[in-house]
Every structure is written in C-alpha cells, then in structure tokens.
Amino acid sequence: MNIKQKHLGDLLVESELITKAQLKKVLHLQKCTTKKLAEILIDENFVDEDQIIEVLEFQLGIPHLDLEKYFISSEVPRLISESLARRHMLIPVKKDRGNLVVAMSDPLNIFAIDDIKIATNLEVQPAISTKESIENAINRFYGSESVKNAIEAFNREYQISNLEEIDIENTSDISNAPMVKLVNSFINQAVKLNASDIHLEPYEKKLRLRFRIDGDLKEIMSIDKMVHKAIISRIKILGNMDIAEKRIPQDGRVDKGNIDMRISILPTVYGEKAVIRLLDRSKFVFSKDKLGFTEHNLRIFNEIIKSPYGIILVTGPTGSGKTTTLYAALKELNSTKRNVITIEDPVEYRLDGINQVQVNNKAGLTFASGLKSILRQDPDIVMVGEIRDEETAVIATRAAITGHLVLSTMHTNCTASTVTRLTDMGIEPYLVSASVVGIIAQRLIKKVCPDCKETFKATSIDKKILNIREDILLYRGKGCNACNKTGYKGRQAVQEIMIADESIRSLIDKKANIDKIRKIALENHMTSLKENCKELVINGITTIEELTRIAYGLE
C-alpha cells in the first residue's frame, strides 16, 4: 500500500477501531484546531497510541521502533535542525548509504517527509514511535546543541576576543538577545532532562556546566571561559541581585510559570560560581500513595497525621523530598473544617484551601515572627517550612502542646538524632517528649531503569550486605538511551518512622543518648532506612549500590 495514498482515519475505520461517525466527528473537530488527527482521536478516547502504532505497523508495514532501547549515533539526529524535529515530532535514527531512517509520531505526514528530504538530500524511510519517546530523544540529542548555538550567536554579536570590553554593569548590554537565549537555553535543557540543579563552575580556562539528574551530577559541556562574566551577570539580573558585587555570596529567586528557580552565587578563586535549583511545580507529587511508603510505614504515617495536636517532623539532608512529604500530609489533612496555615521559604506550590505565607527576611518576616502571628490566626494545623533556630523551635513546640498540630522539617541524619538536635537547640526534654508525635527520617534512592533492567545472581558480598544466606537474583540496569546509560531512571523515597510512644517519651525525659533511643524504637517495630532500602533491593526496585550509599553510617 502506498503510504501517501492512505489516511489514518480510513485505516482505523477499516480495522474497526473507530466508526465512521466517530471519524466524522474528529474531522470536524480538526477544522477548529491545529492538532493532528491522531492527537484528537486520543484526546477523545476513541483509540490509544498503541492501537494507532499497531494499525500502521501491520496494515502498512511501517516498522515500530522503541527509541528507549534503540541505539542512535549522536551524529545522525544532527542531520536536521531541532526546530524541524520538534515541528513534526520526529527524529533521524539511522543513516544507511543514501537512506535515512526517521522515527515519527505520524509516519503518514508527507509534508514532514518532504521537509526532511530537502534538508538532508536523503531518501526517507519512516518508522513509528510514541510521541513521548521521540520527545525524550529530541531532548537528549539536541539539548547541548541549543546551548552551543546560543554561544555561537553571542560570539557573532560581539565579534571580539575579550569580553572584558562589554560593560557587564550595564543592564542593556547583558540583557541582549544572544545572552538571554544562551542562559534560557541551558535552563530549558535542564528542565527537559528533569534536572534538579544547574551548576556553572569557573576554572582557569573553562566554564563547566553540570546538571544534577536523579541525584547525581552529570557534566553537560565545557564552555569558553570568555563568556563567564556575561553569563553570571545575566543570572544575577534574573535573580534581582547586584551585578556589580562580586566579593560576597548572593541569593536570588525567579518565579516563572511552573518553574521556580532559587539562585546562589558564590565567589571562588576563578570567579563566581552559580547554582540554580529548579522546581517544576507541574511534576510535584502530592499523593502519599506515590511517595514510596511501604505498607507498614504507610499505616504508621496515617496514624500519626491523625493526631489532633503535637509536632510531626520530617528529617533528612537537603534534596531528600522532605517538603514533598509534608505537602502530601497537608493534602490529606486539608478540609473546610480546618484552618491550615503554612510559613515557607520558599512557597514551593500553591495549595487550594490552605493559607500560605512566604518568609521575607529583608522585611523582618522570619519563621519565628511569622509563626507568632500565625498562632493569633486561630489555626488548627500549622506547617513550618524548617526549624532552624531556637526561637522557632520553642514557638513550634509550645504551639504543639497547646492544641495545634504542627508539621515541620529539620536537617538531621535519623529519627533518634532529631530528638537530641531539639534539646541541643535549647528545648527542654519535657517539652520535646510532650510535643513530638512522630519523626520521619527520609532519603531518596535511584530506581533501576525498567527499560534495561537485568537480573544477576547475588554474590557472597551482596548476601552479606543484605544479611541473607540463600541464593537470590538481584537487579541492575545495563544502561540504555532511556536512562542516559546510567542504569537508573527516577527516584523513590525510603523512610524510617519513629512514633513517640510512652517508652520513647520516657527516654527523652531521661536525656537518653541517640543509640538508646534508636534501639528502643527498633524494638518497637520501627523499620530502619536500611531495612526499607533492603526490601526495595530484593523487590528489584533499586540496587545493592544504592543500599550501601543510603545505609552507610546509619546503623
């Protein structure tokens, strides 16, 4: 069958996946929108993407490519521009003599095929892939190209060998289009790659660009050192910082649509280093069922958040998902019968029905002062973004013992050490034991990539780490396009939850040390972080290496 003579709607009718009436409705809708026929069919729930792929594959003989597993040489996608690839949602995957295999979301799009022929002077062999996998491949192969193109555009604009000639304290110079495009390009690339942080690090002869993806830093590219000052100045302008000040650290923030950026500038011996933390609100998880709780921990979590008063603490290092867990609890607790108020720095997501307050240190609105005012607002539930000083800790604990449910975070290693941290901050032990309801210690572990997951027999060392004797199969990722050859894709939380029951409260009153409190908590059926992670290793969700990383020093 000639591809050019066949329409997708007719094929689906012939395959009895849709009716003629449904096709007529979709064609009518298509006249009122710029969407493609396949998109409308999926939006209307007449068919799904897999059914469309199956029809095209079996009726027209168009091959289906799984791009997550298909090896693509990095030179092949560059045969066409990123704009062309995104416009038609396609990507070249293989060049064989005079032919070019192109993965397309719509292989019947003859206009797209003609555009590629003109751009490459090659014969096009269409293949079909899902829109999501093509988009992921485009992000993977064209991301660094957009940064390089922006750098080239910037250099062409000035055509000078030394960028010191640019007046970097003049906003009009640094706000020029090429520099805006350059900074925007690597921010957009980081968002597409689901990076949590962007690191711009100056060295003697280069500027290194790294992204933190799934907890690990990955070098994206090295940039000519000449553009360093201009980039930093542009970032400072974004964060409303002083571009003339280069001697002291500065902090800024950008709130742009769904993306919230927290910027930190730090002077180093080779110039100022910038770190941009990214928060994509559109991908925020609020369901407690999706946080990675085991059945045992979920039951305990549900039990402690039902407390009418007291303080619940979520602890762990920076970037361990503490705020996400608090938001999940708030979503569970939010109702028209309760007055829920939060004070945060920053407010990471707007929640309907909850009164949220943003810390403003310059204006004198700190966690402590804000919390004092909140307690005069007749609250039922209060969330404090972080307890970081004695004054905030005192107000929070006293609020907890006077009929309020207080949720907050702290930076401690485990549940037991949180108790001693509170007493170190000046809180009397009797106040700690009377106020604390439960403590959740949390970490994030990397998950094995599902597209390249493989089994292997546990070694004697693996079995020793897992504290088992029997032979078992464990899991790891071989590395594929879907996970950027890392073997990991995505992260999940692991927790240990300590309930402040009578035995724990008694130990707190007696000023018991961390080891004693932890020992009794484990005897009271607390699942440690190590045991939680061990369960995920055996179930094939993560690896023995992640268990070692998480559990080191905790037991």
Side-chain angles (χ1 to χ4, degrees):
M1 182 68 67
N2 189 335
I3 291 177
K4 293 185 180 182
Q5 295 176 347
K6 210 66 176 175
H7 295 287
L8 176 61
D10 296 329
L11 288 170
L12 294 172
V13 171
E14 288 175 15
S15 302
E16 298 182 351
L17 289 172
I18 64 172
T19 64
K20 289 183 178 180
Q22 287 174 327
L23 176 59
K24 185 177 179 181
K25 178 184 177 182
V26 171
L27 290 173
H28 175 72
L29 290 172
Q30 192 180 23
K31 293 178 182 178
C32 308
T33 180
T34 57
K35 287 185 177 181
K36 295 178 181 178
L37 185 71
E39 291 180 274
I40 301 172
L41 284 163
I42 294 169
D43 289 344
E44 293 294 316
N45 293 319
F46 290 155
V47 292
D48 58 37
E49 197 168 15
D50 289 334
Q51 288 174 310
I52 292 174
I53 289 174
E54 188 176 334
V55 166
L56 295 175
E57 185 175 9
F58 288 102
Q59 291 217 18
L60 296 182
I62 300 174
H64 170 222
L65 296 182
D66 185 349
L67 296 185
E68 309 296 354
K69 300 178 181 178
Y70 192 88
F71 174 76
I72 306 173
S73 175
S74 58
E75 293 81 19
V76 177
R78 294 173 188 164
L79 291 171
I80 66 171
S81 66
E82 180 181 0
S83 60
L84 178 58
R86 290 193 184 279
R87 185 164 69 249
H88 295 304
M89 197 48 60
L90 51 81
I91 187 168
V93 296
K94 184 180 179 182
K95 181 184 177 184
D96 186 14
R97 298 176 185 177
N99 296 319
L100 185 65
V101 179
V102 181
M104 308 174 66
S105 62
D106 181 8
L108 300 182
N109 187 341
I110 59 174
F111 300 106
I113 293 172
D114 288 341
D115 283 349
I116 298 170
K117 282 182 180 179
I118 294 169
T120 63
N121 200 27
L122 296 169
E123 284 298 316
V124 175
Q125 293 182 354
I128 187 167
S129 292
T130 63
K131 182 180 178 181
E132 182 183 6
S133 64
I134 292 172
E135 194 165 15
N136 289 338
I138 290 173
N139 292 339
R140 192 163 63 244
F141 287 103
Y142 290 103
S144 59
E145 286 298 305
S146 62
V147 179
K148 290 176 183 176
N149 292 338
I151 292 173
E152 290 172 4
F154 179 78
N155 290 335
R156 285 196 302 271
E157 176 81 11
Y158 286 98
Q159 295 180 342
I160 54 178
S161 58
N162 188 354
L163 295 186
E164 294 288 348
E165 295 176 26
I166 303 174
D167 181 7
I168 63 172
E169 294 182 18
N170 185 329
T171 303
S172 62
D173 274 345
I174 289 306
S175 297
N176 69 81
M179 181 47 61
V180 171
K181 288 179 181 178
L182 173 55
V183 175
N184 287 349
S185 64
F186 63 70
I187 292 175
N188 289 336
Q189 184 191 1
V191 172
K192 290 170 185 174
L193 293 175
N194 294 320
S196 61
D197 300 87
I198 300 170
H199 289 244
L200 279 157
E201 304 162 320
Y203 294 95
E204 186 176 5
K205 296 180 180 179
K206 68 176 183 178
L207 177 65
R208 183 168 68 170
L209 176 64
R210 294 196 291 174
F211 294 164
R212 189 175 292 280
I213 302 172
D214 288 339
D216 290 334
L217 280 170
K218 179 183 178 183
E219 183 166 341
I220 302 301
M221 65 189 303
S222 290
I223 304 173
D224 196 312
K225 181 70 180 291
M226 288 162 50
V227 301
H228 169 242
K229 289 184 179 179
I231 289 176
I232 293 297
S233 294
R234 174 58 192 165
I235 291 172
K236 285 180 177 179
I237 290 170
L238 280 174
N240 292 316
M241 291 179 263
D242 183 356
I243 64 173
E245 180 57 72
K246 307 176 186 66
R247 299 165 299 172
I248 61 174
Q250 294 190 69
D251 295 314
R253 182 182 174 189
V254 184
D255 191 353
K256 186 179 179 182
N258 283 329
I259 305 299
D260 180 87
M261 293 184 284
R262 280 175 273 173
I263 303 170
S264 172
I265 303 291
L266 181 71
T268 72
V269 292
Y270 289 116
E272 292 174 291
K273 174 185 175 179
V275 174
I276 304 172
R277 167 147 289 193
L278 300 171
L279 174 69
D280 188 349
R281 296 194 188 99
S282 65
K283 296 180 180 178
F284 224 81
V285 177
F286 297 107
S287 171
K288 63 182 181 181
D289 299 321
K290 295 180 181 179
L291 292 179
F293 283 109
T294 61
E295 186 177 339
H296 172 72
N297 280 344
L298 183 59
R299 180 174 51 80
I300 298 174
F301 180 75
N302 286 332
E303 181 180 333
I304 62 175
I305 65 173
K306 288 177 182 176
S307 301
Y309 57 86
I311 186 166
I312 299 170
L313 295 168
V314 184
T315 76
T318 301
S320 58
K322 301 186 296 295
T323 303
T324 304
T325 300
L326 284 184
Y327 275 137
L330 283 180
K331 184 180 179 183
E332 186 82 6
L333 294 167
N334 187 22
S335 76
T336 55
K337 296 180 181 179
R338 295 188 176 111
N339 179 19
V340 184
I341 308 178
T342 77
I343 180 162
E344 308 169 59
D345 185 22
V347 174
E348 296 188 355
Y349 192 89
R350 275 70 170 176
L351 295 171
D352 288 338
I354 292 177
N355 307 283
Q356 295 171 274
V357 179
Q358 168 71 52
V359 165
N360 188 338
N361 290 314
K362 291 181 180 179
L365 178 54
T366 63
F367 277 120
S369 64
L371 186 53
K372 286 179 182 176
S373 298
I374 286 171
L375 294 176
R376 293 192 285 269
Q377 289 279 316
D378 185 32
D380 297 296
I381 299 169
V382 179
M383 186 187 101
V384 183
E386 182 184 348
I387 294 177
R388 56 176 70 153
D389 57 64
E390 181 182 351
E391 186 180 7
T392 307
V394 170
I395 299 168
T397 51
R398 291 194 179 278
I401 61 176
T402 53
H404 305 92
L405 181 62
V406 180
L407 289 78
S408 190
T409 70
M410 291 185 71
H411 289 275
T412 57
N413 286 328
C414 64
T415 51
S417 63
T418 306
V419 172
T420 56
R421 173 69 179 134
L422 285 169
T423 56
D424 287 345
M425 293 174 79
I427 310 301
E428 291 295 332
Y430 77 90
L431 275 177
V432 177
S433 64
S435 60
V436 173
V437 173
I439 302 170
I440 304 166
Q442 184 165 298
R443 299 289 190 280
L444 292 179
I445 55 101
K446 292 181 287 186
K447 297 196 292 184
V448 177
C449 174
D451 295 297
C452 60
K453 181 187 282 190
E454 65 175 5
T455 58
F456 66 97
K457 189 176 179 180
T459 66
S460 57
I461 296 175
D462 295 335
K463 288 190 283 187
K464 186 176 181 180
I465 293 171
L466 292 170
N467 195 26
I468 57 175
R469 293 184 178 180
E470 66 273 16
D471 291 333
I472 64 168
L473 291 176
L474 299 179
Y475 300 81
R476 63 188 171 203
K478 291 187 293 184
C480 64
N481 289 331
C483 60
N484 291 316
K485 309 297 180 184
T486 63
Y488 296 100
K489 190 175 182 182
R491 290 191 290 175
Q492 177 176 318
V494 290
Q495 301 96 355
E496 65 177 28
I497 307 178
M498 182 176 77
I499 297 178
D501 58 15
E502 185 178 348
S503 59
I504 297 296
R505 290 198 298 270
S506 175
L507 290 173
I508 296 172
D509 287 333
K510 294 175 183 177
K511 301 182 181 180
N513 61 32
I514 295 173
D515 293 335
K516 182 66 175 177
I517 294 173
R518 184 170 182 78
K519 180 176 180 293
I520 297 301
L522 290 170
E523 289 176 0
N524 290 348
H525 308 295
M526 178 182 81
T527 303
S528 68
L529 283 166
K530 181 178 179 180
E531 285 299 314
N532 192 336
C533 198
K534 173 183 169 181
E535 185 178 335
L536 297 181
V537 171
I538 293 172
N539 291 335
I541 294 171
T542 191
T543 63
I544 200 81
E545 289 78 17
E546 281 294 281
L547 169 60
T548 305
R549 180 180 67 84
I550 290 294
Y552 180 77
L554 292 179
E555 289 193 354

